[in-house]
Amino acid sequence: MSSREELERPIRPRYARIVGLVLGVLTVLGAVAIMVLVPLVAGVPLGPVDYLGTTALALLICWFLYRQASVAAVPDDDGLTVRNLFLTRTVTWPEIVSVRFGQDRPWGYLDLAEGEELAVMALQQADGAYGRTEARRLATLVALHEPGRH
């Protein structure tokens, strides 16, 4: 992989993905355990609504964990697509003024030309040095796409 390809690969958090996967597996195992063990151990029969409710709750939790684990910032020639927990937004390179990633915030932010800021949950403080390296990589991409630098 060339250094340009390495620079332009998607930015993804490290620990959020691991935690999401582990909690997803635990959620599924917990739901199955509830549906199997409650009738056996407690002697309380579960009806179809109980099974449906437990399954629906487990699926909802797994969906949320999937969204958290799949946050990313994906660069391309035109700009950056930022996928956060609930919203996905694409901004062009000229719209991005700077990248901020400081100790006082849980994730990174883009300062945009119109004065707005955009959270980039793919840059996580919880990732420590890895997160700082990814923030520098994103700042480098922004600098490379400044007008007149092509």
Side-chain angles (χ1 to χ4, degrees), residues 12 22 33 45 49 70 96 101 105 118 120 124 141 145 149:
R12 292 188 170 87
V22 169
V49 173
S70 66
I96 304 171
F101 188 67
R105 295 184 179 209
L118 175 62
V120 182
Q124 302 256 333
L141 278 169
H145 288 91
R149 287 219 39 172

Side-chain angles (χ1 to χ4, degrees), residues 5 12 32 124 137:
E5 289 172 332
R12 292 188 170 87
V32 170
Q124 302 256 333
R137 181 164 67 90

Side-chain angles (χ1 to χ4, degrees), residues 62-146:
C62 286
W63 172 82
F64 178 83
L65 293 169
Y66 164 76
R67 287 297 298 186
Q68 177 61 41
S70 66
V71 299
V74 182
D76 63 26
D77 291 338
D78 299 321
L80 185 71
T81 300
V82 177
R83 178 181 173 150
N84 286 331
L85 189 58
F86 294 112
L87 300 175
T88 299
R89 180 171 173 192
T90 300
V91 292
T92 63
W93 292 116
E95 290 179 81
I96 304 171
V97 175
S98 65
V99 178
R100 286 187 291 119
F101 188 67
Q103 297 286 30
D104 59 335
R105 295 184 179 209
W107 45 76
Y109 286 85
L110 299 177
D111 289 319
L112 302 179
E114 67 268 5
E116 188 181 350
E117 68 178 19
L118 175 62
V120 182
M121 295 179 74
L123 297 172
Q124 302 256 333
Q125 283 293 341
D127 285 335
Y130 173 79
R132 289 188 295 278
T133 299
E134 292 295 89
R136 280 191 297 276
R137 181 164 67 90
L138 181 54
T140 300
L141 278 169
V142 169
L144 286 173
H145 288 91
E146 285 178 350

